Amino acid sequence: MKFLRKLFLVFAVVYLLPALASAGLWYLKERPQSWHDADWSSSGILADAAASPQAAIYVFSATTGGMKGAVASHAWIVTKDEGASTYNRYEKVGWGKPIRRNAYPADGRWYSNEPRIVVAVRGEEAKRLIPKIEKAIEAYPYSSPGAYRLWPGPNSNTFVAHVLRSVPELDAVLPPDAVGRDYLPEGKLFHVDADGRDLHATLYGLAGVSAGWRSGLELHFMGLVAGFDVARPGVKIPALGRFGI
């Protein structure tokens, strides 16, 4: 019984208290009351695509809407081919077309929330990686209508995390509030990234661990992630996000 009490105390301090704090901040924040009231316009983060001829890749994340916004975010991928005058935005949502392309501005707000860049790659490296990203998008196994589950996945973050694991040269992982990112496609319990630098073990996204150069050390439980980074020193706090370099 002492062990169980200690285990519950650790869970409460590491996972429950940050989630409650995030929910409190969410409650106090001014936010749209519905999808129709939300601002989906460009945030102005990206320059006009025609202004630069070089290829580019961006992964964005933004706090999601409704009660989910208390603990979760939504991620998407943006690419621009060399010499292209427009961006392409890819994401997975729970309504409409399974994998949506250019449904919103490339750097658009999500439910009025400002997006943040998770990773940006430009120039020759982006030109080399865009075909790999497109291949990973095509290979995503949950791309048919109805193949979406809000929790524990597969959801929008499962989709983007799949691409990041498939193209490890992007050298990025989604933030700790990207609920669903740890759900491995096709019911896998274990995965090693293509370059062997990160490994992931999970019980269908409900509980598990990720470790390696990009992930640092992460423990996820019920969609909430706690951990720390080594390559880019920082701590990952459930629901609140990553703090550090």
Side-chain angles (χ1 to χ4, degrees):
M1 290 298 293
K2 285 185 178 180
F3 172 77
L4 291 177
R5 283 197 295 268
K6 289 181 180 179
L7 188 63
F8 176 78
L9 181 61
V10 169
F11 167 76
V13 171
V14 175
Y15 292 97
L16 190 57
L17 289 182
L20 290 174
S22 181
L25 292 172
W26 170 87
Y27 180 79
L28 294 173
K29 188 169 113 178
E30 190 173 324
R31 58 190 183 278
Q33 296 302 307
S34 70
W35 183 90
H36 297 287
D37 296 328
D39 181 2
W40 305 88
S41 65
S42 170
S43 62
I45 292 175
L46 296 181
D48 184 86
S52 173
Q54 65 178 351
I57 300 166
Y58 302 93
V59 175
F60 282 97
S61 178
T63 300
T64 191
M67 293 187 65
K68 304 186 302 295
V71 296
S73 60
H74 169 78
W76 63 94
I77 302 165
V78 173
T79 65
K80 186 182 82 71
D81 292 321
E82 186 177 46
S85 60
T86 59
Y87 293 102
N88 285 314
R89 171 173 169 162
Y90 302 92
E91 62 204 313
K92 181 79 169 71
V93 295
W95 65 90
K97 294 180 180 179
I99 302 297
R100 307 199 79 180
R101 177 177 173 178
N102 299 330
Y104 305 95
D107 60 354
R109 297 172 178 85
W110 190 255
Y111 278 93
S112 298
N113 296 304
E114 294 288 314
R116 54 196 181 272
I117 296 177
V118 177
V119 65
V121 181
R122 304 177 185 89
E124 289 300 314
E125 182 69 355
K127 182 179 177 181
R128 184 179 72 86
L129 294 181
I130 287 174
K132 291 188 175 185
I133 289 173
E134 292 173 344
K135 184 178 179 180
I137 290 172
E138 291 177 1
Y140 184 61
Y142 301 111
S143 59
S144 59
Y148 179 97
R149 185 169 53 196
L150 184 63
W151 180 87
N155 60 21
S156 61
N157 296 316
T158 309
F159 165 66
V160 177
H162 156 79
V163 174
L164 292 177
R165 286 193 294 265
S166 301
V167 190
E169 297 96 323
L170 291 170
D171 195 30
V173 295
L174 289 178
D177 60 352
V179 174
R181 62 171 207 162
D182 295 301
Y183 185 96
L184 295 177
E186 300 177 315
K188 292 180 180 178
L189 302 179
F190 187 80
H191 176 84
V192 178
D193 288 357
D195 62 355
R197 301 179 80 181
D198 264 34
L199 59 87
H200 315 270
T202 183
L203 185 63
Y204 309 112
L206 297 172
V209 59
S210 291
W213 180 254
R214 284 175 294 276
S215 296
L217 177 62
E218 299 177 345
L219 298 177
H220 66 267
F221 183 76
M222 306 300 279
L224 300 173
V225 176
F228 60 87
D229 279 337
V230 176
R232 292 178 290 271
V235 294
K236 303 177 182 183
I237 301 177
L240 294 175
R242 182 188 181 281
F243 300 88
I245 296 175

